[in-house]
Amino acid sequence: MRRRLFLLVCVLVVTACNFGAMTSSPSPARTPDIKRSKLDIAYSFLVDADVHNVSSKKVLQGAVEALKAEARKTGGPDDFPSLELEDISEPVLADFRKFADAAAAFAARNTQLSADRFADTAIGGMIGASPDCHTYYVNKDGAGFLSRSERVTGSGPRVPAGGTPLASPDESGLQASLLPGGIAYITFARFLTTGTYKTHDEVRKVLDKALAAGARAWLFDLRGNVGGRETSVDILISFFLNGEPTLRTVFRNGPGGTMSALADLRLPAEYQLPIAIVLNDRGGSGPEVFAAALRENKRATLVGQKTVGCVGSANTTRMPDGSQITVVVAELSGAVTGTAYNNIGVPPDVQADDASAIDKAIEILKQKIAGVASPTT
């Protein structure tokens, strides 16, 4: 009995010693994955390239606020510490480290957020610090995050009934008809350029057909046009100008060069008919550049509503996981009038709602054909 008691005491002592050994030196806590290198790429690119000179502080604060909102939304704590940050328009490595370290601790308290969701949220907050139509982020799964929310109220193109068909909808959505009075109606959904298709070439074919059928004016309905290749836009502009300056480029460090139509691409005199362009806030970019360039030179009458204001150019950085961030690096303003268009929109010469815009454009063109002064030039 005494031997058994001795053995039991020894077993308890050994067990206690082993337990003490196991608990006295806990292994270090694992650092949460916040996709730190990806956040670094997005932060540095945005602060370095953004045409609006967004500050490092504003970008990092945008990420913090987005993370706090996402934590609240998913039932987690939103206690992100206050950070002392430099308010300058260039990347600050030390400040990014402060943010990343605090973000890792924040992620440890919000384990309901996956690493990818955490990074997507933070980058979405970063780009929101400098909202622009062409600044956006696309994650590795193809989901898009816009830097500014768009509230679109306008409709797409409204093809008039009747008339003689000139073109059926093709791969860029191009369709056309010759309306009574010799008005050639033309619409297309994008400026597309591929190895076998170019929107400007197809528009030229429509113009040829329309002239042969007796066209006396051009009516472009570009509502819902989402833009596309700049080359196609520039060529279409040059069809109707004679080398005049169109738009001026503005970079983050100041004015850039002036864009001009290409005089050798101007179409012959018989193509230089009155032009009306119908626009609204649906779509943007390419159709806005086309309309603004002709507006600057009083070559077309714009009818409808102010456009969305995607009048700039952007650069894209791709990340190792396949995601990408696109940032506006230049804005376009009027080369003749100096009018700012980016994030503002191209205003109409004649205001009209979607239901009446085509009728008003036709009325204006008929007045021009008859040689009567229209409401605007």
Side-chain angles (χ1 to χ4, degrees):
M1 178 70 178
R2 191 176 293 172
R3 178 178 174 78
R4 289 179 181 175
L5 181 60
F6 174 77
L7 290 173
L8 178 61
V9 169
C10 287
V11 168
L12 292 174
V13 169
V14 170
T15 302
C17 289
N18 287 341
F19 180 76
M22 288 189 294
T23 58
S24 61
S25 301
S27 53
R30 183 180 178 184
T31 302
D33 181 12
I34 61 170
K35 306 294 181 182
R36 183 170 179 147
S37 62
K38 182 173 176 176
L39 295 180
D40 191 359
I41 292 171
Y43 159 76
S44 298
F45 180 55
L46 178 59
V47 178
D48 256 338
D50 176 59
V51 70
H52 306 295
N53 282 291
V54 64
S55 74
S56 168
K57 179 178 181 178
K58 190 173 181 181
V59 169
L60 294 177
Q61 286 180 335
V64 170
E65 292 306 314
L67 288 170
K68 290 167 65 175
E70 189 69 11
R72 290 192 296 269
K73 177 181 174 182
T74 54
D78 65 351
D79 54 332
F80 204 106
S82 177
L83 302 175
E84 292 292 329
L85 304 170
E86 289 193 66
D87 196 14
I88 59 175
S89 298
E90 61 184 56
V92 181
L93 180 59
D95 282 359
F96 177 78
R97 287 173 177 165
K98 288 181 191 177
F99 161 76
D101 291 345
F106 186 78
R109 298 190 296 276
N110 282 278
T111 55
Q112 79 280 9
L113 300 178
S114 69
D116 286 329
R117 185 170 183 177
F118 192 95
D120 288 348
T121 299
I123 295 173
M126 288 181 185
I127 63 173
S130 186
D132 197 291
C133 183
H134 282 125
T135 293
Y136 58 88
Y137 163 65
V138 179
N139 71 11
K140 67 177 186 178
D141 299 318
F145 298 74
L146 301 177
S147 68
R148 86 181 203 199
S149 59
E150 306 291 349
R151 183 176 178 271
V152 176
T153 60
S155 70
R158 299 191 179 192
V159 182
T164 304
L166 297 172
S168 300
D170 65 6
E171 54 195 290
S172 72
L174 174 65
Q175 58 181 314
S177 60
L178 186 63
L179 305 178
I183 296 172
Y185 172 90
I186 303 166
T187 187
F188 49 96
R190 63 188 62 83
F191 290 84
L192 181 64
T193 301
T194 69
T196 58
Y197 183 96
K198 296 177 176 60
T199 296
H200 57 270
D201 285 343
E202 299 307 313
V203 170
R204 171 64 189 272
K205 293 175 185 177
V206 166
L207 300 181
D208 293 343
K209 288 182 181 179
L211 277 181
R216 303 179 68 189
W218 310 122
L219 198 173
F220 289 94
D221 185 356
L222 298 185
R223 293 173 292 185
N225 187 299
V226 297
R229 294 299 297 269
E230 294 178 3
T231 300
S232 201
V233 180
D234 293 341
I235 292 175
L236 197 57
I237 290 169
S238 297
F239 280 175
F240 302 109
L241 294 177
N242 194 24
E244 296 92 340
T246 56
L247 299 169
R248 184 174 293 117
T249 304
V250 181
F251 295 104
R252 61 184 280 131
N253 296 323
T258 297
M259 302 164 59
S260 297
L262 301 173
D264 58 342
L265 294 180
R266 177 180 170 85
L267 295 179
E270 59 267 28
Y271 292 83
Q272 303 306 321
L273 304 176
I275 300 172
I277 304 173
V278 177
L279 297 164
N280 61 12
D281 65 352
R282 183 174 292 276
S285 189
E288 294 180 285
V289 171
F290 175 64
L294 296 190
R295 177 182 187 270
E296 285 293 306
N297 291 282
K298 299 183 179 181
R299 183 62 185 86
T301 301
L302 309 189
V303 181
Q305 301 161 50
K306 182 184 285 188
T307 62
V308 69
C310 290
V311 193
S313 58
N315 287 346
T316 297
T317 285
R318 289 174 172 80
M319 304 184 200
D321 66 353
S323 58
Q324 63 183 51
I325 179 172
T326 298
V327 175
V328 173
V329 297
E331 298 182 291
L332 300 179
S333 61
V336 179
T337 67
T339 303
Y341 294 117
N342 190 45
N343 280 342
I344 296 173
V346 182
D349 297 311
V350 178
Q351 187 81 26
D353 60 25
D354 284 328
S356 64
I358 292 295
D359 289 339
K360 286 192 176 183
I362 290 173
E363 177 186 352
I364 290 167
L365 290 174
K366 285 182 176 179
Q367 290 173 347
K368 286 181 175 293
I369 291 171
V372 178
S374 61
T376 184
T377 56

